Amino acid sequence: MSAMTARGLSLGVVVAVWALISDLGRVNLSLWAVVVALGCFLAAGGGIQGLQRTVAGTISGVVWALIAYTVALSLGPQPVVQALVLGAAVFMIVLQGRLPLLSYTAGAVAGAGVAAGLRVVNLQGGIRVAIALALGAVLGYAAEFLAGLLRPKSA
């Protein structure tokens, strides 16, 4: 089996299994947040480093989204204020890229986008989204491991 076929099959199996588990188990985690983080894991290059970068990056994005929501709420519900606060949060996401562990800016922006899309407004919601994002990265790692098992070993 080619590497591309093994990767596609393993990703498809992992996503299908998680979708089934989350539906049958009524797991209160966003399926699309899991899939976004799985994509971030792939874009980060996979492996342990991709797992670490994805988890740290996406969760930092959730934190910045919560901070932005809190600041915007305290300053008032004006659209201009909300836009400026969101812009400041994205600026901070880019600046945090100076720290090696938080250097995956695309993952952080994705995490913030997922949090905003799910309308996270409190710590409990933020934790739920962070868990879904971390799970997506772990599922990406699991799919990578499974793909390795599906590929024939060369002699």
Side-chain angles (χ1 to χ4, degrees):
M1 174 179 311
S2 74
M4 182 70 77
T5 302
R7 184 180 219 186
L9 183 60
S10 67
L11 286 167
V13 166
V14 166
V15 169
V17 167
W18 175 250
L20 188 61
I21 289 170
S22 67
D23 187 47
L24 294 177
R26 305 233 190 280
V27 178
N28 194 12
L29 296 174
S30 168
L31 177 61
W32 69 267
V34 170
V35 174
V36 165
L38 191 146
C40 288
F41 168 82
L42 296 171
I48 291 293
Q49 186 177 10
L51 177 63
Q52 292 170 336
R53 293 179 71 206
T54 299
V55 170
T58 56
I59 291 174
S60 74
V62 173
V63 170
W64 283 114
L66 281 168
I67 291 170
Y69 174 80
T70 303
V71 170
L73 185 65
S74 69
L75 294 176
Q78 298 86 9
V80 171
V81 170
Q82 291 175 346
L84 290 173
V85 169
L86 182 59
V90 171
F91 175 75
M92 294 304 295
I93 286 171
V94 172
L95 284 186
Q96 82 179 8
R98 293 178 179 172
L99 303 171
L101 185 61
L102 299 176
S103 64
Y104 189 30
T105 303
V109 171
V114 168
L118 290 173
R119 303 199 188 290
V120 171
V121 297
N122 58 36
L123 186 58
Q124 181 183 9
I127 291 170
R128 187 176 298 116
V129 170
I131 290 169
L133 292 167
L135 178 63
V138 169
L139 289 176
Y141 188 78
E144 185 175 75
F145 178 78
L146 180 59
L149 294 177
L150 294 173
R151 288 190 303 260
K153 305 296 182 226
S154 46

